[in-house]
Amino acid sequence: MTYKTSKIFTSSDKKNRSASVLMIYTGGTLGMVYDTKSKSLVPFDFDQILINVPELKRLEFELTILTLPKPIDSSNIKPETWIELAAIVRDNFEQFDAFVILHGTDTMAYTASALSFLLENLSKPVILTGAQLPIGIARTDARENLITALEIASAEINGRPVVPEVAVYFNSYLLRGNRAKKKESSQFNAFRSENYPALAEVGVTIDFNFPFIMPFRPDLPLVVHEKLEEQVMILKLFPGINQAMVHNLLSTEGLRGVVLETYGAGNAPSDEWFLEELHQATKRGIVIVNVSQCDGGRVLQGHYQTSSKLKSIGIISGSDITTEAAITKLMFLLGQETEPERVKYRMEQSICGEMS
């Protein structure tokens, strides 16, 4: 596929340029400006980014911007988009020191989680960011998010990247990509990471939380995976859910995996019909992962009687994984493995810091 690229020199002094960053624009609120003719928000031309964000001229790195052929509203993001983004990183991996992906906020946590699995042995920063308000609005958060994400991506110590992993930067916090969740639609602090500390907190300075950042492993070659299984779904429990609903969902033709959102520490109804429906599904080879509906805490499967029965029929614990990471991890593993038991085993192991 052919992409439009634009090289932007953010510093007039070539000697001061310490890194090269590829910024990938997928779409989303950040890249919008107000068009006075149509009186609506439209994507702006990233060739003119220094006009919209003149502060970039003070940053000491070389910036190249790649835009997808057609901006994508993040509600329309699909697994094929994740594979495309991973391929862009792969194809440009040797040419650039870091990558920043501009993305709509609604599904950013899903994309960050998926990329963390697709980009195996990642040794360079891949930072996702976006905005709650368009860059063309006076009170926008887009400029700060964009500039800081670029600064973090280009940050090095002794020639090594500070954050060699997939992360989300938003409103003063850098979060591990597969630990982030969108929590706000009307406030600037849109993302949280309840079960894992922030990788950095940004104020007057950028304070990196080094013990919690992935180690730099340049000895391992980057492996970019190209397959995700889309025959998966999320089943969220609620009081009053009935057998017909559960049966119809679990009987979906071709279904291979389910993220089961349970209560509290992984608890679920103890009705015989419910357990039997799940048991029959696991016997058909469907992999079912128990994830808590709570944002904080973790699944302690077997701690209470209502969850011990899930364990006995082959439901696996998702520990403290987010729903976004669980569904994308399930897509990833089902795309790599053919045996359900192998998928179950790997679902309970941390691949890239997505669970404790």
Side-chain angles (χ1 to χ4, degrees):
M1 187 176 293
T2 302
Y3 303 99
K4 179 183 177 182
T5 58
S6 306
K7 182 170 286 188
I8 307 294
F9 293 105
T10 59
S11 169
S12 59
D13 184 356
K14 292 183 179 180
K15 293 181 180 179
N16 287 335
R17 294 183 196 135
S18 58
S20 59
V21 180
L22 178 64
M23 186 165 71
I24 305 164
Y25 177 61
T26 68
T29 300
L30 186 148
M32 308 295 283
V33 292
Y34 185 75
D35 180 59
T36 55
K37 292 182 179 180
S38 64
K39 296 184 179 181
S40 63
L41 293 171
V42 296
F44 83 91
D45 186 350
F46 273 85
D47 287 340
Q48 308 298 316
I49 192 170
L50 291 180
I51 297 174
N52 288 277
V53 193
E55 297 89 344
L56 289 175
K57 295 176 183 178
R58 303 192 187 112
L59 302 179
E60 297 177 349
F61 55 79
E62 182 179 288
L63 176 64
T64 299
I65 302 171
L66 181 152
T67 57
L68 298 189
K70 184 179 179 181
I72 305 172
D73 186 293
S74 70
S75 297
N76 291 322
I77 291 289
K78 296 177 173 60
E80 62 193 52
T81 312
W82 302 333
I83 293 172
E84 181 181 1
L85 290 173
I88 291 173
V89 172
R90 177 199 63 209
D91 295 343
N92 293 277
F93 197 72
E94 297 302 323
Q95 185 179 351
F96 295 94
D97 300 306
F99 303 84
V100 170
I101 299 175
L102 307 185
H103 195 288
T105 60
D106 286 346
T107 58
M108 188 185 295
Y110 289 94
T111 296
S113 295
L115 289 176
S116 73
F117 301 121
L118 291 172
L119 299 171
E120 185 179 349
N121 300 332
L122 184 64
S123 59
K124 294 181 180 181
V126 175
I127 312 298
L128 286 85
T129 194
Q132 296 286 64
L133 288 176
I135 205 165
I137 299 295
R139 293 182 53 254
T140 183
D141 57 332
R143 291 188 185 88
E144 192 279 326
N145 285 346
L146 172 60
I147 292 167
T148 307
L150 288 168
E151 281 194 286
I152 290 172
S154 62
E156 296 180 346
I157 296 179
N158 298 323
R160 295 184 173 187
V162 176
V163 188
E165 61 174 288
V166 178
V168 168
Y169 176 75
F170 217 91
N171 193 55
S172 301
Y173 288 95
L174 181 72
L175 310 176
R176 174 161 292 166
N178 53 37
R179 292 284 194 157
K181 291 181 72 73
K182 185 177 181 182
K183 299 298 296 176
E184 285 282 352
S185 61
S186 59
Q187 302 294 326
F188 285 143
N189 57 335
F191 289 86
R192 307 274 207 289
S193 175
E194 300 293 350
N195 289 330
Y196 197 78
L199 304 184
E201 185 172 351
V202 179
V204 175
T205 60
I206 301 175
D207 297 322
F208 291 102
N209 199 354
F210 290 102
F212 295 96
I213 297 174
M214 281 286 188
F216 178 58
R217 293 293 306 272
D219 53 311
L220 299 176
L222 176 69
V223 178
V224 178
H225 298 276
E226 300 178 342
K227 187 176 181 182
L228 294 168
E229 173 57 71
E230 297 185 35
Q231 295 299 317
V232 298
M233 67 174 220
I234 298 169
L235 173 56
K236 185 169 185 172
L237 299 184
F238 60 91
I241 193 169
N242 61 50
Q243 184 172 5
M245 295 175 185
V246 175
H247 178 79
N248 288 336
L249 288 170
L250 294 180
S251 300
T252 301
E253 185 176 356
L255 183 65
R256 295 191 62 200
V258 176
V259 172
L260 180 68
E261 283 198 347
T262 56
Y263 308 124
N267 301 311
S270 55
D271 302 271
E272 286 298 325
W273 68 260
F274 178 73
L275 296 172
E276 183 60 21
E277 291 289 351
L278 294 180
H279 191 201
Q280 290 302 317
T282 60
K283 287 169 67 175
R284 295 194 299 271
I286 297 173
V287 178
I288 304 179
V289 186
N290 185 356
V291 174
S292 176
Q293 295 180 14
C294 301
D295 294 330
R298 68 177 64 191
V299 167
L300 299 172
Q301 197 161 265
H303 188 69
Y304 294 96
Q305 184 179 9
T306 49
S307 65
S308 64
K309 293 182 179 180
L310 296 179
K311 184 177 181 180
S312 68
I313 61 174
I315 310 300
I316 59 177
S317 170
S319 184
D320 59 352
I321 197 170
T322 65
T323 296
E324 293 88 342
I327 196 70
T328 52
K329 183 177 181 179
L330 198 52
M331 288 179 179
F332 171 70
L333 291 178
L334 288 168
Q336 311 304 311
E337 306 284 353
T338 56
E339 295 297 325
E341 291 305 315
R342 178 65 178 165
V343 175
K344 289 182 180 181
Y345 172 78
R346 294 188 65 188
M347 276 299 303
E348 292 189 305
Q349 314 301 313
S350 178
I351 294 176
C352 47
E354 74 282 358
M355 60 195 295
S356 301

